[in-house]
């Protein structure tokens, strides 16, 4: 497919405002120590790199890459790398901050970071993408590291991207040091130090949190309808697991367009279709095309945003028919929109809980590499299920006890854990 149309020009500005508003609300609620609030309000390190890469036609192009390390009070920085035209320093800062809350909430020994390259990867050949990635990894140098800052896949990056980064990073080390640096990134291919099941970990986590929510509401997921924005790693796998328990995917929107079928879109056939159509869902047999603006108001029980941030604006919040929003994406709901959704009685499983299966899977991969172990798929899926279920329970109970929504409850748990670490350790000097 030649034409690449961006469906929703993802509002990049505002993600930082959004995460700060969420953070402020949580700080007010728990009366966070103002000194600790000051520390957590800004990232520890912000890195912007311009690096040259030779294109297939022999010309040199300069790329802009980012890595923001927000906080490492609980352990090494951790967070994905995104390749997207809308990436800028503020959006990366916001995404890094969400990672700090996410890893803390999940009880992992990590801090938060995020990064990426400002570009549209669809415009480059595979060999160009390899050179861009390797040159970016080289430019990052020892600003990343297996015990310091550990990137992972995010939008438009995948296991192949991680394999290139691991190989480049390891190649810069002395021969005897190379293998012990394999856990510099997670989300690698299974044959190259990757974890069985890491590919599905985020979507599985999204599904598990929906299942936990439904169990608490005594609601059967069989026959329930859902719509998904973004049919990439997270959107596909979440749909896969929901379909397995009898829920029905009735509409999908991606970067190319919107399709629907009230009788259901078969998830595996749709995946097959996208792999042979440059990643696009448009034209899937048996589906009807829906105007992009009408997507949010479609009839359904569950809505899974699994694309970019700030997609649920105030106007869209008023249109949504679902009774549950499960945030596969990071920061899909704006602060103001959330008030509207709350007033309308629509529940939200917040991103830092809903999509935390990814970083939990990454943690297992990191442990596996560090300890020289190999775990099988069943073991990984069982461990993810146990972890996510525990975290969901904690968030749900906190929300009930304190009479607050799930997002605020998740923030309270996440921030209190970091606050405790600062209080125990003090501030140097
Ligand atoms: P991906 O690149 O695999 O897929 C992204 C999907 O979003 C694609 O289907 C794409 O067509 C669609 N999309 C892009 N721009 C769009 C637009 N403007 N309008 C509608 N659809 C659009 O990415 P992913 O890894 O699935 O990540 C999706 C979201 O989940 C992101 O917000 C990411 O930060 C979050 N997330 C990912 C992981 C992970 O492990 N991959 C973990 C946690 C959170």
């Amino acid at each position: 497919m030649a034409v690449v149309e961006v469906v929703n020009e993802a509002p990049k500005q505002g993600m930082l405002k959004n995460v700060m508003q969420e953070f402020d609300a949580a700080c007010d609620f728990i009366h966070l120590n103002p000194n600790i609030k000051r520390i957590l309000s800004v990232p520890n390190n912000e890195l912007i790199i311009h690096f040259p890469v030779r294109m297939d036609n022999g010309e040199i192009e300069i790329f802009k890459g980012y890595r923001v390390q927000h906080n490492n009070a609980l352990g090494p920085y951790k967070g994905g790398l995104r390749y997207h035209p809308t990436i800028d320093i503020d959006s990366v800062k916001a995404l890094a901050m969400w990672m700090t809350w996410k890893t803390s909430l999940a009880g992992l020994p990590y801090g938060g970071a995020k990064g990426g390259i400002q570009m549209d990867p669809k415009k480059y050949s595979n060999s160009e993408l390899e050179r861009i990635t390797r040159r970016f990894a080289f430019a990052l140098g020892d600003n990343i590291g297996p015990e310091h800052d550990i990137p992972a896949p995010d939008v438009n990056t995948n296991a192949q991207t991680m394999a290139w980064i691991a190989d480049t990073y390891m190649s810069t080390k002395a021969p005897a040091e190379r293998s012990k640096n394999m856990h510099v990134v997670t989300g690698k291919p299974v044959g190259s130090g990757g974890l069985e099941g890491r590919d599905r970990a985020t979507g599985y986590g999204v599904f598990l949190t929906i299942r936990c929510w439904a169990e608490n509401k005594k609601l059967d997921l069989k026959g329930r309808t859902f719509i998904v924005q973004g049919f990439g790693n997270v959107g596909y796998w979440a749909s896969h697991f929901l379909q397995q328990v009898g829920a029905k995917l009735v509409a999908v929107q991606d970067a190319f367009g919107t399709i629907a079928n009230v009788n259901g879109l078969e998830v595996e056939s749709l995946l097959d279709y996208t792999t042979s159509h440059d990643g696009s869902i448009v034209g899937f047999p048996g589906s009807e095309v829906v105007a992009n603006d009408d997507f949010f108001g479609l009839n359904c029980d569950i809505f899974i945003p699994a694309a970019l941030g700030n997609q649920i604006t105030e106007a869209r919040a008023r249109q949504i028919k679902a009774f549950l929003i499960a945030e596969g994406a990071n920061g899909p709901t704006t602060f103001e929109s959330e008030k509207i959704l709350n007033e309308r009685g629509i529940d939200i499983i917040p991103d830092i809980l809903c999509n935390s299966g990814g970083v939990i899977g990454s943690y297992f991969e990191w442990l596996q590499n560090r300890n020289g172990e190999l775990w099988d798929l069943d073991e990984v899926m069982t461990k993810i299920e146990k972890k996510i279920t525990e975290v969901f329970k904690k968030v749900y109970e906190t929300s009930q006890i304190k009479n607050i929504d799930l997002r605020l409850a998740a923030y309270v748990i996440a921030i209190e854990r970091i606050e405790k670490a600062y209080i125990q350790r003090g501030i140097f000097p």
Side-chain angles (χ1 to χ4, degrees):
M1 177 165 302
V3 182
V4 175
E5 186 107 359
V6 173
V7 172
N8 295 299
E9 195 47 66
K12 54 186 177 183
Q13 303 86 359
M15 277 214 290
L16 188 56
K17 184 173 156 217
N18 191 14
V19 69
M20 288 307 294
Q21 284 173 316
E22 291 173 2
F23 175 58
D24 283 344
C27 292
D28 290 348
F29 186 79
I30 60 172
H31 305 292
L32 180 70
N33 177 316
N35 290 319
I36 296 173
K37 184 176 176 190
R38 256 173 238 137
I39 295 170
L40 293 176
S41 295
V42 288
N44 288 356
N45 304 306
E46 300 171 29
L47 189 64
I48 302 180
I49 310 167
H50 295 103
F51 57 96
V53 181
R54 190 176 300 280
M55 298 291 102
D56 290 345
N57 65 5
E59 295 290 314
I60 299 292
E61 203 170 311
I62 305 295
F63 291 86
K64 194 189 261 281
Y66 300 88
R67 188 70 181 168
V68 169
Q69 297 167 332
H70 175 255
N71 190 273
N72 62 348
L74 299 174
Y77 300 106
K78 186 89 189 79
L81 292 176
R82 181 177 290 197
Y83 290 179
H84 203 272
T86 61
I87 279 273
D88 65 3
I89 192 66
D90 279 355
S91 62
V92 181
K93 276 159 80 168
L95 291 161
M97 210 175 197
W98 272 313
M99 284 309 299
T100 301
W101 315 145
K102 196 183 300 180
T103 53
S104 175
L105 174 66
L108 303 177
Y110 288 142
K114 203 83 177 192
I117 306 176
Q118 191 182 71
M119 66 153 178
D120 182 353
K122 295 186 199 81
K123 292 187 180 154
Y124 300 95
S125 70
N126 201 45
S127 57
E128 285 172 336
L129 284 175
E130 176 172 357
R131 289 196 295 280
I132 294 165
T133 300
R134 287 184 180 276
R135 194 60 176 75
F136 180 43
F138 182 76
L140 284 169
D142 281 333
N143 289 293
I144 58 170
E147 307 292 326
H148 171 50
D149 182 356
I150 308 125
D154 193 75
V155 175
N156 291 331
T157 58
N158 53 28
Q160 176 62 78
T161 323
M162 296 305 118
W164 289 330
I165 296 176
D167 185 65
T168 307
Y169 185 85
M170 287 157 70
S171 301
T172 63
K173 304 291 166 200
E177 302 292 309
R178 285 180 192 160
S179 296
K180 72 175 188 194
N181 282 287
M182 191 181 265
H183 53 304
V184 62
V185 284
T186 55
K188 299 180 290 291
V190 172
S192 312
L195 180 80
E196 291 278 1
R198 174 59 186 88
D199 54 353
R200 65 209 71 187
T202 310
Y204 186 49
V206 172
F207 160 71
L208 290 172
T209 60
I210 294 172
R211 197 181 71 184
C212 289
W213 180 91
E215 279 166 6
N216 280 302
K217 299 283 176 192
K218 309 221 176 323
L219 197 133
D220 192 354
L221 287 174
K222 192 162 182 232
R224 297 288 170 186
T225 56
F226 65 101
I227 63 173
V228 176
Q229 188 196 35
F231 199 70
N233 176 282
V234 181
Y236 160 67
W237 281 109
S239 304
H240 166 92
F241 289 108
L242 276 167
Q243 183 173 270
Q244 273 189 352
V245 296
K248 198 163 67 175
L249 175 65
V250 291
V252 183
Q253 179 174 83
D254 73 358
F256 302 87
T258 307
I259 59 166
N261 184 343
V262 285
N263 297 317
L265 299 157
E266 210 283 315
V267 174
E268 309 311 321
S269 312
L270 182 57
L271 178 71
D272 288 346
Y273 181 84
T274 58
T275 42
S276 55
H277 290 81
D278 286 340
S280 170
I281 55 168
V282 177
F284 179 59
S287 68
E288 59 169 307
V289 173
V290 174
N292 292 322
D293 285 345
D294 294 341
F295 172 73
F296 293 84
L298 291 175
N299 279 323
C300 63
D301 298 320
I302 301 165
F303 170 32
I304 305 174
L308 301 172
N310 281 358
Q311 290 298 306
I312 305 178
T313 57
E314 289 167 63
R316 290 169 177 172
R318 291 192 188 90
Q319 295 167 6
I320 288 172
K321 302 276 192 324
F323 52 67
L324 176 67
I325 296 174
E327 294 184 335
N330 286 305
T333 312
T334 69
F335 192 73
E336 297 306 324
S337 313
E338 180 146 8
K339 290 183 194 158
I340 296 168
L341 295 167
N342 285 342
E343 276 166 20
R344 295 189 55 216
I346 297 171
D347 271 10
I348 303 171
I349 305 175
D351 44 10
I352 59 171
L353 168 63
C354 190
N355 67 39
S356 63
V359 74
I360 291 169
S362 278
Y363 171 58
F364 294 147
E365 180 174 328
W366 186 74
L367 280 185
Q368 184 189 256
N369 294 158
R370 238 181 160 204
N371 300 337
E373 293 177 14
L374 289 173
W375 303 355
D376 65 28
L377 183 62
D378 284 349
E379 194 178 352
V380 172
M381 300 302 268
T382 307
K383 280 180 197 284
I384 293 175
E385 183 175 0
K386 183 169 179 291
K387 186 82 177 152
I388 289 258
T389 311
E390 280 167 11
V391 181
F392 186 93
K393 190 163 178 269
K394 222 192 278 184
V395 173
Y396 196 82
E397 282 173 4
T398 305
S399 83
Q400 298 285 302
I401 293 164
K402 297 187 187 290
N403 195 24
I404 53 179
D405 63 44
L406 294 175
R407 188 181 319 274
L408 186 52
Y411 264 79
V412 166
I413 298 166
I415 293 172
E416 283 184 345
R417 183 170 166 228
I418 302 169
E419 180 185 31
K420 193 170 164 194
Y422 273 109
I423 289 170
Q424 287 170 342
R425 209 179 298 164
I427 304 294
F428 175 83

